[in-house]
Amino acid sequence: MYVWVNDQLIRRDKAVVDMEDRGYQFGDGVYEVVRMYNGAFFMLPEHLERLQNSLKEIGISYDVKEQRVAEKLKEIMKKNDVTDGAVYMQITRGAAPRNHSFPDQPNPVFTAYPIPVKRPVEAQENGVQMTLVEDMRWLRCDIKSLNLLWNAMAKQKAKEKGCFESLFYRNENHITEGSSSNFFGVKNGVIYTHPANPYILNGITRRAVLNICQENQFPYEEKVLTLNDVKQLDEAFITSTTAEVMPITAIDDITVGNGEPGPVTRKLQKLFFERT
Ligand code: PDD
């Protein structure tokens, strides 16, 4: 496989990361995952805009346009002969003698390579389960940063319980999002999801779904659901670049609706697939 390291397109086994890269030592960097369907990236401009914004928020000076990131992503997929899958990219503040404060002259490091992703057809058809985990992350979850320790720990807890994903709650009973996905609930035909604020990552798939709701006049509201609301939901689903629109049938011992993917979720799945 070939990968990008800054301006070099090289074989993966030739790619090295400096021991003192700040991404490695401090998680000091940001990333994106973009889906490719049939040789075309899905919502690439939106991903790149979010990347630029994450960079700005953590003060890494790197211009995504000037650095030709879009072109590089297309090139790396072509070079590796991938037409269906995803690309992973990250930008760190680069290598510097270890010191918490930023280096005076940082050299950001860009890396990108294709990752294999397949539509999880069976899970999307039958739905999956979630487990509740307290949201112990920092308060800038809107930044897609490399600091994924609690997300990783939460996903591991889900895996150990045989669940697909964990569902974060904060402030005792406020539902925020999944460990790597956004959460939606449906009650009496209205679709609810957490407002886009620093408590969640404003997912690109989340935005696509809200856009579908708008275009089709499906009633929706960006509002914080409580644990109690979740117990009363008719339907629930999560969204992400890799899971797309994934029905949730149970959350710990709470059965969602009748325990099967609901009609609103099915409609949204269908309309989402049409866009891909
Ligand atoms: N994760 N919330 C969190 C915490 C996420 O990590 C992700 C995506 C999402 C959904 O965002 P999007 O629809 O833009 O993929 C929400 C990616 C896929 C990952 O870390 O692999």
Side-chain angles (χ1 to χ4, degrees), residues 86-104:
V87 67
Y88 175 84
M89 80 199 86
Q90 66 170 45
I91 298 160
T92 73
R93 207 180 304 272
R98 189 177 183 281
N99 190 328
H100 286 61
S101 63
F102 301 168
D104 292 332

Side-chain angles (χ1 to χ4, degrees), residues 160-203:
E160 282 165 11
K161 287 189 176 171
C163 293
F164 182 84
E165 172 66 305
S166 44
L167 178 57
F168 283 142
Y169 65 94
R170 209 190 260 284
N171 304 331
E172 302 206 340
N173 65 356
H174 289 176
I175 299 298
T176 53
E177 62 179 336
S179 74
S180 65
S181 58
N182 291 112
F183 181 79
F184 288 73
V186 184
K187 181 71 190 172
N188 298 329
V190 183
I191 299 150
Y192 297 96
T193 196
H194 196 286
N197 65 21
Y199 286 114
I200 65 156
L201 182 78
N202 186 0

Side-chain angles (χ1 to χ4, degrees), residues 31 33 50 144 177 179-182 201 203-205 240-241:
Y31 77 104
V33 179
R50 185 171 67 184
K144 202 161 172 60
E177 62 179 336
S179 74
S180 65
S181 58
N182 291 112
L201 182 78
I204 304 300
T205 323
S240 82
T241 294

Side-chain angles (χ1 to χ4, degrees), residues 35 117-125 164 242-244 246:
R35 192 77 162 77
V117 171
K118 267 202 188 132
R119 179 164 282 162
V121 178
E122 204 203 304
Q124 286 178 348
E125 189 53 36
F164 182 84
T242 51
E244 301 173 327
M246 178 71 76

Side-chain angles (χ1 to χ4, degrees), residues 174-245:
H174 289 176
I175 299 298
T176 53
E177 62 179 336
S179 74
S180 65
S181 58
N182 291 112
F183 181 79
F184 288 73
V186 184
K187 181 71 190 172
N188 298 329
V190 183
I191 299 150
Y192 297 96
T193 196
H194 196 286
N197 65 21
Y199 286 114
I200 65 156
L201 182 78
N202 186 0
I204 304 300
T205 323
R206 171 189 182 278
R207 298 182 213 179
V209 164
L210 291 181
N211 188 261
I212 289 170
C213 291
Q214 245 166 8
E215 282 188 357
N216 294 276
Q217 275 109 45
F218 297 163
Y220 73 91
E221 200 182 323
E222 291 176 81
K223 154 189 154 159
V224 179
L225 295 173
T226 64
L227 273 175
N228 211 36
D229 294 331
V230 163
K231 290 181 188 149
Q232 329 276 330
L233 290 175
D234 300 326
E235 298 178 37
F237 61 91
I238 54 171
T239 63
S240 82
T241 294
T242 51
E244 301 173 327
V245 177

Side-chain angles (χ1 to χ4, degrees), residues 4-187:
W4 279 113
V5 180
N6 289 330
D7 289 323
Q8 284 183 294
L9 190 57
I10 52 181
R11 274 180 45 181
R12 196 205 154 141
D13 56 356
K14 298 279 183 271
V16 287
V17 172
D18 193 293
M19 247 175 72
E20 285 192 309
D21 188 287
R22 292 179 61 93
Y24 186 49
Q25 292 193 328
F26 297 105
D28 186 355
V30 296
Y31 77 104
E32 283 290 332
V33 179
V34 187
R35 192 77 162 77
M36 176 174 264
Y37 300 103
N38 250 316
F41 282 121
F42 183 68
M43 296 179 82
L44 179 60
E46 287 81 356
H47 280 281
L48 294 182
E49 194 198 324
R50 185 171 67 184
L51 180 67
Q52 190 66 69
N53 195 58
S54 296
L55 287 161
K56 183 183 113 221
E57 290 297 324
I58 71 166
I60 292 182
S61 160
Y62 187 95
D63 190 311
V64 169
K65 275 209 183 86
E66 212 173 275
Q67 300 290 335
R68 300 177 50 252
V69 171
E71 290 78 9
K72 282 182 174 172
L73 298 181
K74 282 167 197 157
E75 213 174 320
I76 199 71
M77 300 306 259
K78 223 178 183 169
K79 181 87 182 166
N80 288 291
D81 225 354
V82 180
T83 51
D84 283 278
V87 67
Y88 175 84
M89 80 199 86
Q90 66 170 45
I91 298 160
T92 73
R93 207 180 304 272
R98 189 177 183 281
N99 190 328
H100 286 61
S101 63
F102 301 168
D104 292 332
Q105 238 96 59
N107 289 305
V109 174
F110 166 83
T111 48
Y113 63 98
I115 53 174
V117 171
K118 267 202 188 132
R119 179 164 282 162
V121 178
E122 204 203 304
Q124 286 178 348
E125 189 53 36
N126 302 322
V128 294
Q129 305 190 8
M130 296 182 96
T131 186
L132 286 159
V133 174
E134 191 175 351
D135 196 343
M136 310 250 266
R137 299 173 301 164
W138 72 331
L139 298 174
R140 289 306 306 274
C141 300
D142 54 321
I143 301 170
K144 202 161 172 60
S145 96
L146 297 179
N147 287 267
L148 292 175
L149 187 52
W150 191 246
N151 305 64
M153 289 174 75
K155 188 73 98 183
Q156 179 61 21
K157 287 176 203 289
K159 184 178 164 187
E160 282 165 11
K161 287 189 176 171
C163 293
F164 182 84
E165 172 66 305
S166 44
L167 178 57
F168 283 142
Y169 65 94
R170 209 190 260 284
N171 304 331
E172 302 206 340
N173 65 356
H174 289 176
I175 299 298
T176 53
E177 62 179 336
S179 74
S180 65
S181 58
N182 291 112
F183 181 79
F184 288 73
V186 184
K187 181 71 190 172

